Amino acid sequence: MSRLHQRIIALKLMGIVKPGLALSGFLLIALGVQAQPVRYHEAPLRQVLEEVAERTGYAVLYRDALVEGRTISLQTTSAKLIEALADALAEQGLKLEIDPNRRQLLVTEARRRIVTLSGEVRDARSGAPLPYATVAWHADAALQGTMADAEGRFRAMLTVPERQDTLRLRVSYVGYVPQTVTVGIREKAIVVRLVPEEKALPAVVVIGSASRLDGVDTSWQRLIRPERFAPFGEPGATRALQALPAVGLTIGLTNGLNVRGSQTDGFQLLLDGMPIYHPTHLFGLFDAFNADALEAVGFYYDVAPVVYAAPPGGTLAFATRAGSRDRLHATAGLSNVAGRLLLEGPLPGQQGSWLVAGRHALIGWLDWPGNAKLLAYGLDVARPTSPLPSQAVDLEARLLERGPVAGAFYDLHGSLLLDEARWRLRLSGYAGADEAQQQAYRLMPDWSLAGPLSSTPRWQPVATRQSWANRALSLQASYWLSSSLRLHTTLGMAAYQSTYAKDDFLYTLSGGSLQKFFRRLAPFAYRNALHEGRWEQAVDLGQQAGIWTLGAALQVVSLSYTESSALRLKPFVVKQHVLNIDGFGQYEGTPHPWVKLLSGVRLHTFATGAQLRLSPRVHLTLHPYGFWSVGVALSRNYQFLHRLAFRNTNSTGVWLLTESKQPPTAVDNLSLGMQLRPGKTRFSLDAYARYLKHLWQHEVEVPVYLVTRDRETAMPWLTDVEAQAHGLEVLLLQPLGPLEATLGYSLARIQMRHPAILNGAWYPAPWDRRHQLRAYLDVPLWSGGALALAWFAASGAPNTESFTDPAQPKRLGPYYRLDLTLFSRHAAGPATLEVRLGVFNLFDRANPWYREPMLVLTGPRLPRRFDFVPVDVYDLGRQASIDFTLRF
């Protein structure tokens, strides 16, 4: 007997319903019951089926294994409950069979078929494609999805019930309002248009965890927010990547990143497929790109797709914005270091768009507090240090008098897009440069005289100068032969040149059978030039469960390097030319609902020495779309182009090619990972091991300098350094009401060795910090306003002075820093004004960066003697910044 009948009988017995009114009362109550709303949100399916049985009087039959672990959401009325249940079950690949005679409901697994889903994601206002947009849907009681490519187009193979004709897609892109649309299964050209939020900085797509969930969950993308990391006035994605525990904390000034133990030259940066050899302005303070001109950033630090050569440290791939298609737009900005302007608009006929953007330094004439110190700090002139011993004369006041300082930089972006139904053509270009110099007077002994450093001192003019320039041009063409076959071509060229000169460069010299070490200050200079041409052809073939990619790449590189050093009697000069031809193939897909696979291989042929190398890559993820996922990644990568960095000078860096008698740098990578996604919480745990061979280091950078080498005949760098890195990484993303907290921790060990250094024993890499912790708190203040706090902590770096002085501590002191960014957005008629205030190292803590000897005067009375005393060089102190951006 149903609940409705029981209710009528009870009312009759109570005398409330008279026999004459029984029929009318029955109809009124029935109508009320039928109109009663029924709502379920992510409720256990077993519970819903039991309550449906109670509501309808039908017996519900099912297999436990079929409903175990499933949840369901629906909203309907009692009258349409069975129909709504059938639709909701169909979305999960289940079928509801209704037997009215027996009053039974039977839940079974529906017959299924494989369909192809393809389309593109665009900006609703400008019509520009949105690269790496997320497209997700529910299937088999789990969230599944895919990611659009660099052209904003997506393609996926999925299994649906035989009678299902529609699918609900949730399309999202960082900086845009997510949209849920219902599409037909058989639609051939799905176009989803997203409305932008009042935000124009690029999204960062992070693909690195062994248990990756790319294409569905944008939590990790929202973690990397360039606007949150702008403590020097200009936002940038490179510094923002330190939110990930896989990336070493940005300590000091750097022109690269240490990713999972790799050297900075193992970090590759691409702009529209072309390499950018100097990715930062002003010694690493911020990116060499105008963030307003960028659309998306892909960061691969574990197993990268085979279309990337993938050096040991990872690949950061930028994409230039395509420009607006609806009307002319402009963005103007002014910060404490630079002014910038961007213009964009449609081409005639609405078949494409254009964009130009420029930025120029203001640091040369804007007397913002700290600007001059930043320049001097970057050029390694009078950097703040720990206190000198009591017997030493103050270094900065007595031995060095700073003179004029000057610095400037600029960058230019341009983009032209032509777009038709079956093809797309994009032409983009970039130009950027830096120049800085510092003059000073230094009190030094006469190094040309024999004897101890007690000779008569004299004041000498010294200067430090550096400059670099980078140019890149890229032409990318895509053509769709069919809905499942696409051709993609990239043609491009890049040019880079850098110069560096320092009159008082610090050398550690060695000689004699006792291997005695001594120091001196002397000039050091170099000049580096590189030219590259690149052609790449790829074809994507979509099949039932995934996509095959096949292609080839041709790279022509020529470079020159000239170095003048106190270690050599005459300048060292080298010129190199190389032809590199690669072939690659890859499969990426979901061969089973519980398995996501990326498997590929890249074949390198390096014509300098007719070298042939094979770079296999495998990335397997189990249960990629559920509450949990686990994965494993294996790869071997090679590096044929090397950047020699100088820690104490922070110079522009030197790029050199592997020679015919030298094997390339090789890295073997193994990583294991897991992710948990309970509600809005995200938890990730990764472990990795990396083994690197044939690393390059300049002879002035190794911890103990060789005494057995003939410096006049040997090259000024080592090429057979080994390294190994092991680490554990934890990342937690936790909403706290309106707040959002993020915690990242890494436990790592990075060691190096060379046969002629420390008798071949392992020693810690200069960037080896065992413990690194970062914590972020985003606090919304008002509509359009937010406060971001970033706290960093790390254990001490290795003390390289301990290699030659056993009395020195093995490691320096710990590192702590708090950064603050206040962001506010205001509507001003047709324009939007954004204001950003930032403070780097809010509490002005003196954080040790590295330890090196400093030239001082010692002794209690005249005549004093020159000597070198080890001191800690500190990271940057408190720096305030401001930035205004007007978009209209």
Side-chain angles (χ1 to χ4, degrees):
M1 183 178 297
S2 69
R3 287 188 173 183
L4 179 58
H5 291 92
Q6 293 174 357
R7 188 172 182 181
I8 295 295
I9 293 174
L11 292 175
K12 287 182 178 181
L13 293 176
M14 295 173 62
I16 297 177
V17 180
K18 297 182 179 180
L21 298 177
L23 180 60
S24 60
F26 177 85
L27 292 176
L28 290 174
I29 294 174
L31 290 173
V33 172
Q34 290 179 354
Q36 182 180 357
V38 179
R39 296 185 181 90
Y40 293 101
H41 178 70
E42 297 296 329
L45 179 56
R46 186 190 303 275
Q47 172 191 334
V48 174
L49 294 178
E50 291 175 355
E51 293 183 6
V52 167
E54 293 181 5
R55 288 175 179 272
T56 63
Y58 276 69
V60 183
L61 308 177
Y62 54 84
R63 289 186 295 109
D64 288 341
L66 202 60
V67 301
E68 185 65 32
R70 293 180 184 262
T71 60
I72 193 171
S73 298
L74 60 88
Q75 182 173 346
T76 185
T77 62
S78 297
K80 299 181 178 180
L81 179 57
I82 294 179
E83 180 182 349
L85 177 64
D87 293 339
L89 291 176
E91 293 182 0
Q92 300 199 23
L94 301 178
K95 181 181 179 181
L96 185 65
E97 298 181 2
I98 306 172
D99 186 348
N101 295 327
R102 299 181 181 179
R103 299 188 63 79
Q104 290 182 350
L105 301 178
L106 178 62
V107 181
T108 61
E109 192 167 5
R111 293 184 179 180
R112 310 178 69 79
R113 58 193 172 99
I114 298 175
V115 298
T116 301
L117 191 70
S118 61
E120 58 184 314
V121 185
R122 291 181 174 270
D123 186 307
R125 296 179 183 175
S126 68
L130 299 181
Y132 311 121
T134 294
V135 182
W137 60 87
H138 278 88
D140 296 321
L143 184 67
Q144 300 185 16
T146 187
M147 183 179 294
D149 61 16
E151 303 295 334
R153 303 211 176 193
F154 63 89
R155 177 183 174 83
M157 301 290 180
L158 61 153
T159 304
V160 299
E162 190 175 45
R163 296 184 179 181
Q164 183 175 340
D165 296 323
T166 61
L167 188 68
R168 290 174 60 83
L169 302 180
R170 188 180 187 276
V171 185
S172 58
Y173 188 76
V174 177
Y176 285 72
V177 179
Q179 184 177 352
T180 300
V181 298
T182 300
V183 300
I185 294 295
R186 296 178 175 84
E187 287 189 46
K188 297 297 183 183
I190 302 170
V191 179
V192 182
R193 301 181 183 274
L194 300 183
V195 177
E197 298 175 338
E198 295 301 326
K199 175 182 175 183
L201 291 178
V204 181
V205 181
V206 179
I207 304 177
S209 171
S211 56
R212 64 178 183 171
L213 193 68
D214 59 302
V216 179
D217 196 335
T218 60
S219 299
W220 306 128
Q221 298 177 34
R222 296 181 183 275
L223 170 65
I224 313 299
R225 300 172 183 170
E227 72 276 10
R228 185 172 59 179
F229 298 91
F232 302 106
E234 294 288 316
T238 303
R239 271 189 173 265
L241 291 176
Q242 66 182 305
L244 299 169
V247 178
L249 292 180
T250 307
I251 295 172
L253 303 179
T254 178
N255 289 323
L257 297 178
N258 297 116
V259 181
R260 285 190 170 176
S262 68
Q263 296 189 135
T264 55
D265 73 326
F267 173 72
Q268 172 183 246
L269 193 146
L270 303 175
L271 177 62
D272 298 326
M274 294 305 298
I276 301 299
Y277 291 104
H278 195 89
T280 62
H281 283 310
L282 291 183
F283 324 105
L285 292 181
F286 47 87
D287 291 353
F289 311 110
N290 186 341
D292 296 326
L294 301 178
E295 189 160 39
V297 181
F299 181 46
Y300 306 88
Y301 64 90
D302 194 353
V303 174
V306 295
V307 295
Y308 300 114
T315 297
L316 183 63
F318 286 90
T320 305
R321 286 179 55 196
S324 173
R325 292 195 181 189
D326 61 345
R327 62 180 178 85
L328 180 67
H329 288 271
T331 301
L334 180 68
S335 72
N336 57 287
V337 294
R340 61 190 186 275
L341 177 66
L342 178 143
L343 298 173
E344 58 181 322
L347 292 174
Q350 302 291 324
Q351 297 301 313
S353 60
W354 58 270
L355 177 146
V356 292
R359 180 172 57 168
H360 197 279
L362 302 177
I363 197 169
W365 61 271
L366 181 62
D367 191 20
W368 181 264
N371 277 359
K373 287 186 177 181
L374 278 178
L375 290 173
Y377 188 93
L379 292 168
D380 189 21
V381 178
R383 286 177 176 169
T385 68
S386 58
L388 296 173
S390 58
Q391 74 275 16
V393 177
D394 182 82
L395 173 68
E396 185 173 354
R398 302 294 180 89
L399 301 189
L400 183 70
E401 291 185 2
R402 291 193 300 177
V405 61
F409 68 85
Y410 75 88
D411 51 63
L412 298 171
H413 293 266
S415 174
L416 180 65
L417 175 69
L418 298 175
D419 193 4
E420 293 288 349
R422 299 181 66 89
W423 59 269
R424 181 173 294 153
L425 186 68
R426 182 198 295 262
L427 177 65
S428 61
Y430 166 80
D434 263 31
E435 185 173 0
Q437 60 179 342
Q438 170 78 66
Q439 299 178 4
Y441 283 90
R442 183 182 285 278
L443 184 66
M444 292 193 296
D446 189 349
W447 303 98
S448 62
L449 299 177
L453 297 181
S454 57
S455 57
T456 303
R458 58 194 178 109
W459 287 95
Q460 300 180 26
V462 294
T464 303
R465 300 170 296 275
Q466 77 168 46
S467 64
W468 66 267
N470 210 130
R471 310 284 187 271
L473 185 65
S474 173
L475 178 65
Q476 295 179 299
S478 297
Y479 184 78
W480 284 263
L481 299 174
S482 67
S483 60
S484 61
L485 187 64
R486 185 190 72 160
L487 299 178
H488 186 77
T489 303
T490 299
L491 290 171
M493 58 176 293
Y496 171 73
Q497 64 179 21
S498 66
T499 60
Y500 177 80
K502 187 174 181 63
D503 296 333
D504 52 347
F505 187 87
L506 174 64
Y507 290 89
T508 298
L509 305 175
S510 59
S513 58
L514 297 178
Q515 299 187 5
K516 183 179 180 180
F517 295 90
F518 54 96
R519 323 277 185 175
R520 70 172 293 182
L521 300 178
F524 177 81
Y526 66 73
R527 181 179 180 85
N528 189 210
L530 182 151
H531 295 84
E532 175 184 346
R534 181 175 294 194
W535 167 76
E536 182 176 301
Q537 182 64 59
V539 56
D540 293 332
L541 175 63
Q543 291 189 334
Q544 286 187 350
I547 297 177
W548 289 90
T549 300
L550 300 173
L554 172 67
Q555 181 188 29
V556 180
V557 181
S558 63
L559 61 81
S560 63
Y561 175 63
T562 302
E563 176 187 305
S564 299
S565 169
L567 301 177
R568 298 172 182 272
L569 296 177
K570 58 183 180 180
F572 175 82
V573 180
V574 62
K575 293 185 178 181
Q576 298 176 308
H577 305 275
V578 68
L579 173 66
N580 189 15
I581 303 175
D582 287 5
F584 52 85
Q586 174 183 286
Y587 167 81
E588 182 175 14
T590 309
H592 186 276
W594 278 53
V595 176
K596 187 174 181 63
L597 175 66
L598 182 147
S599 178
V601 63
R602 189 174 180 108
L603 178 66
H604 307 275
T605 59
F606 209 64
T608 302
Q611 301 191 41
L612 185 66
R613 295 291 189 274
L614 202 62
S615 175
R617 308 168 194 186
V618 177
H619 196 151
L620 177 67
T621 306
L622 301 179
H623 203 252
Y625 304 116
F627 169 81
W628 60 269
S629 62
V630 296
V632 59
L634 296 162
S635 67
R636 163 167 281 199
N637 299 98
Y638 293 95
Q639 180 179 353
F640 298 92
L641 191 62
H642 312 268
R643 177 179 176 270
L644 298 180
F646 301 87
R647 177 193 54 176
N648 60 330
T649 65
N650 195 59
S651 65
T652 54
V654 175
W655 288 98
L656 293 160
L657 285 163
T658 299
E659 291 285 356
S660 58
K661 297 181 180 180
Q662 302 163 347
T665 297
V667 57
D668 293 318
N669 173 67
L670 168 64
S671 59
L672 304 170
M674 64 165 288
Q675 284 193 32
L676 299 177
R677 295 173 284 274
K680 294 183 178 180
T681 300
R682 298 293 180 267
F683 176 80
S684 174
L685 177 65
D686 283 273
Y688 68 87
R690 285 187 168 185
Y691 301 92
L692 303 97
K693 294 183 178 180
H694 311 299
L695 294 173
W696 286 39
Q697 281 191 297
H698 198 277
E699 62 186 3
V700 302
E701 187 68 12
V702 293
V704 180
Y705 300 90
L706 307 180
V707 296
T708 59
R709 302 176 69 212
D710 184 354
R711 290 194 173 99
E712 293 304 314
T713 59
M715 291 184 176
W717 51 81
L718 307 179
T719 62
D720 49 357
V721 178
E722 293 183 60
Q724 60 181 13
H726 304 83
L728 185 69
E729 301 166 356
V730 178
L731 190 58
L732 175 66
L733 212 111
Q734 180 62 59
L736 301 172
L739 311 181
E740 185 176 277
T742 305
L743 181 68
Y745 169 76
S746 63
L747 171 65
R749 184 178 185 180
I750 304 105
Q751 295 179 300
M752 309 179 77
R753 71 177 178 183
H754 185 275
I757 299 176
L758 298 177
N759 297 318
W762 290 100
Y763 59 88
W767 54 92
D768 173 48
R769 293 178 181 264
R770 297 295 172 82
H771 305 275
Q772 296 188 60
L773 181 69
R774 62 268 287 162
Y776 307 93
L777 184 66
D778 294 297
V779 184
L781 300 178
W782 55 79
S783 178
L787 175 68
L789 299 172
W791 183 69
F792 306 95
S795 55
N799 176 17
T800 55
E801 293 298 304
S802 67
F803 293 118
T804 54
D805 184 1
Q808 289 279 328
K810 297 296 183 181
R811 290 187 176 265
L812 305 181
Y815 185 98
Y816 303 103
R817 191 183 87 222
L818 178 66
D819 296 347
L820 178 150
T821 302
L822 178 64
F823 179 83
S824 183
R825 180 184 295 113
H826 306 274
T832 301
L833 175 65
E834 297 174 359
V835 181
R836 184 184 298 105
L837 303 175
V839 182
F840 176 89
N841 196 358
L842 180 64
F843 296 115
D844 200 24
R845 188 179 189 275
N847 284 303
W849 178 12
Y850 61 90
R851 179 171 292 187
E852 74 170 10
M854 305 291 283
L855 182 65
V856 298
L857 284 172
T858 60
R861 64 180 67 89
L862 297 175
R864 290 192 172 98
R865 182 180 185 276
F866 282 97
D867 197 4
F868 283 95
V869 175
V871 294
D872 289 344
V873 178
Y874 291 144
D875 191 15
L876 285 167
R878 183 188 297 118
Q879 298 289 329
S881 64
I882 188 169
D883 175 68
F884 298 94
T885 302
L886 187 63
R887 307 183 190 279
F888 51 90

